[in-house]
Amino acid sequence: MRLLLIFPKNERSYWGGVSRSGKAGFLRLGLPTVAALTPGDWDVEIIDARVRPVDYGVRADLVGITGLTAEMPNAYEIADNFRKRGVKVVMGGVHVSALPEEALAHADSVIIGEAELVWSSALDDFKKGALKPIYRAARLCDMKGMAIPRRDLVKREMFSGYHTLQATRGCPFNCDYCTVTAFFGNKFRTRPVADVIEEIKGFDTKEFFFMDDNIAGRPGYARELFEALVPLKLNWGSQASITMAKDPELLRLYAKSGGKYAFIGLESLSQENLDNMSKGWNSAKGYGEAIRKIHDAGINIIGSFVFGLDGDDRDVFRKTFEFIMDNDIDAAQFHILTPLPGTVTYKTLEKEGRIIDRDWAKYHTGEVVFEPRSMTAQELQNGYYWIFRNTYRMKNILKRCLRSPKGVAYRMAVNLSYRKKALKMPEVSLR
Ligand code: SF4
């Protein structure tokens, strides 16, 4: 039996695309994990449509597809094409779990929730010719003894961040716009530190990225993990919440263990906005001090900001830009608020009749798909372009990168890669 696992693509997105050298960013672990859960009598192939075109003539008994909301139009196109050729298709992931009925118009079967608990049943049923339309994971899987993703099935030269792994799943918080808690539940799960270290020891490079949503979500676990990483002398990064700045020992170990950078969701400088998105535990007035503490520990910050919240007016872009420059935030990611299915934001905007565009291909956080409250949709779109272009002007990049002699090369590399995204956007002025 031959199983083809496919990651779809979205060429409109500024994030997760393919560089000029033909490489995608970080290797996503979903399908390599599904491959690891597949019994040995299956021949498995993984295709990432971002880096390799899908060949519909290839022999396959079953196709599995998972993708982000913005990749769903391509995912459905791939599914439809295989089904036209008589090949059965199973889909899973966050979007499909939120909207299974929509996915079932394109797939023979959908997996709702984490695949770990139901994948083998789906494969058994398929072999018996009795594939069910829905497989629903009744609970969250235990992270102890988790399957190690089959990285050997993906070509490493196609990814700039090939070594990725997970130490935790979920997040102790539940921000309105985020799919993490909706999908992974509000239970923060951790893998035994020894399992994580064992997996890392199998890597053949000194660099990796934790795909965790919040590596600092449980400080005690994070400290234990970082301590165990120290002797390995590696370089790594992860997403983390700004709450980690409250724990000096955690910061010290983060840096000592090779944690060079952290993606941190600052999101908004308005406490009212943060409170309204259930992120009131982020203290806007404490940002400056928290950033200093993280920098002082030797950790670079890639700050993430979201625009279009109800309290955001046209001034938000200039104020945020000045904050980034004044605080020497090493690099920043910008996102337009996007109502992803399954989130509180989606339900709220849907109820208020403010979703104006349902083309999932535009749900990559770089296009406006809803009616903002305190500015027009065009002002929001232009403001997004303006802050992206301005943050990545060379003089602004240099000012932030030169904040300290340590780590300049790393900061320059990150900034220049984001500058490439910025240069794809139109040059606009703020009115
Ligand atoms: S802290 Fe981050 S991962 Fe956690 S719920 Fe909020 S946005 Fe999602």
Side-chain angles (χ1 to χ4, degrees):
M1 287 281 177
R2 193 150 197 282
L3 171 68
L4 199 57
L5 297 172
I6 305 175
F7 282 116
K9 64 181 175 182
N10 176 335
E11 286 172 341
R12 296 176 78 102
S13 177
Y14 297 112
W15 306 105
V18 173
S19 67
R20 256 184 242 152
S21 61
K23 288 188 180 194
F26 290 118
L27 171 64
R28 295 187 209 159
L29 297 172
L31 292 181
T33 301
V34 170
L37 298 168
T38 303
D41 57 338
W42 284 82
D43 175 19
V44 186
E45 185 179 359
I46 298 177
I47 294 174
D48 190 320
R50 292 175 301 170
V51 286
R52 204 179 117 195
V54 177
D55 173 3
Y56 293 106
V58 74
R59 189 176 79 71
D61 297 293
L62 182 66
V63 167
I65 308 175
T66 186
L68 307 172
T69 295
E71 294 160 346
M72 279 300 122
N74 182 237
Y76 293 151
E77 184 192 331
I78 294 169
D80 293 346
N81 276 328
F82 274 108
R83 289 178 87 204
K84 266 188 225 150
R85 288 161 172 78
V87 180
K88 297 257 187 241
V89 174
V90 183
M91 298 185 88
V94 177
H95 181 94
V96 165
S97 295
L99 298 177
E101 295 304 325
E102 175 189 284
L104 277 172
H106 304 273
D108 298 284
S109 179
V110 298
I111 307 280
I112 299 179
E114 294 176 314
E116 275 87 347
L117 300 174
V118 290
W119 182 240
S120 60
S121 311
L123 291 180
D124 286 349
D125 289 348
F126 171 77
K127 278 189 174 172
K128 288 186 252 163
L131 192 62
K132 297 187 187 85
I134 292 183
Y135 292 86
R136 189 186 296 270
R139 58 184 168 82
L140 298 170
C141 79
D142 188 350
M143 292 191 80
K144 187 163 189 252
M146 268 178 61
I148 306 290
R150 291 279 312 272
R151 298 180 183 85
D152 57 302
L153 294 177
V154 287
K155 290 208 166 72
R156 66 182 299 167
E157 60 273 17
M158 290 181 171
F159 299 89
S160 49
Y162 174 73
H163 284 309
T164 53
L165 84 162
Q166 257 188 332
T168 67
R169 272 192 190 169
C171 176
F173 305 116
N174 191 7
C175 307
D176 285 1
Y177 58 88
C178 176
T179 54
V180 168
T181 304
F183 185 73
F184 290 114
N186 56 6
K187 192 168 165 237
F188 187 67
R189 286 165 289 158
T190 57
R191 270 174 91 187
V193 167
D195 288 6
V196 180
I197 297 298
E198 206 44 45
E199 189 171 344
I200 292 170
K201 280 184 176 165
F203 294 168
D204 55 4
T205 66
K206 289 278 176 193
E207 295 205 5
F208 68 92
F209 184 75
F210 282 114
M211 298 296 271
D212 301 50
D213 295 300
N214 183 358
I215 195 75
R218 189 176 296 160
Y221 174 82
R223 287 193 297 269
E224 188 193 338
L225 174 64
F226 301 161
E227 192 103 59
L229 283 172
V230 171
L232 303 183
K233 298 192 182 346
L234 303 166
N235 292 328
W236 59 272
S238 182
Q239 299 182 96
S241 54
I242 190 115
T243 49
M244 74 176 185
K246 291 182 186 156
D247 189 329
E249 181 61 2
L250 184 147
L251 288 185
R252 190 184 71 77
L253 288 169
Y254 193 116
K256 190 176 177 202
S257 63
K260 292 279 175 275
Y261 58 102
F263 285 88
I264 298 182
L266 300 166
E267 322 303 7
S268 176
L269 304 180
S270 149
Q271 192 59 46
E272 195 185 339
N273 271 342
L274 293 169
D275 291 346
N276 287 341
M277 65 164 94
S278 309
K279 203 160 187 158
W281 46 268
N282 255 14
S283 160
K285 73 172 172 4
Y287 278 173
E289 192 189 341
I291 290 164
R292 262 191 308 285
K293 284 182 181 168
I294 296 170
H295 276 166
D296 287 350
I299 303 163
N300 293 295
I301 296 172
I302 302 176
S304 175
F305 296 89
V306 59
F307 299 113
L309 299 158
D310 282 354
D312 285 345
D313 60 19
R314 291 185 305 176
D315 293 337
V316 69
F317 306 104
R318 202 178 298 280
K319 282 185 195 154
T320 307
F321 170 71
E322 283 165 6
F323 176 83
I324 289 167
M325 295 306 295
D326 290 348
N327 288 279
D328 285 333
I329 294 186
D330 303 292
Q333 292 192 347
F334 304 110
H335 304 282
I336 291 171
L337 181 69
T338 300
L340 295 172
T343 62
V344 174
T345 299
Y346 179 84
K347 284 191 202 116
T348 307
L349 292 178
E350 177 82 315
K351 201 166 115 211
E352 293 173 355
R354 291 166 64 195
I355 298 183
I356 55 176
D357 199 323
R358 289 180 191 273
D359 177 358
W360 297 137
K362 296 180 183 164
Y363 281 56
H364 55 87
T365 78
E367 293 187 72
V368 183
V369 296
F370 76 104
E371 200 68 64
R373 179 150 281 160
S374 311
M375 62 183 125
T376 66
Q378 193 57 53
E379 283 168 341
L380 175 54
Q381 187 71 62
N382 280 350
Y384 173 81
Y385 291 145
W386 180 87
I387 192 166
F388 223 126
R389 297 267 322 201
N390 234 20
T391 302
Y392 292 104
R393 290 193 197 294
M394 277 316 292
K395 69 172 187 205
N396 296 331
I397 289 177
L398 286 173
K399 193 251 173 201
R400 296 192 309 273
C401 288
L402 297 174
R403 69 171 172 82
S404 142
K406 201 173 159 210
V408 175
Y410 167 74
R411 286 194 288 280
M412 281 304 291
V414 173
N415 274 274
L416 291 177
S417 87
Y418 285 176
R419 180 176 155 84
K420 282 188 199 146
K421 299 182 198 305
L423 292 177
K424 289 184 190 156
M425 298 176 193
E427 184 81 81
V428 294
S429 55
L430 281 187
R431 275 184 295 136

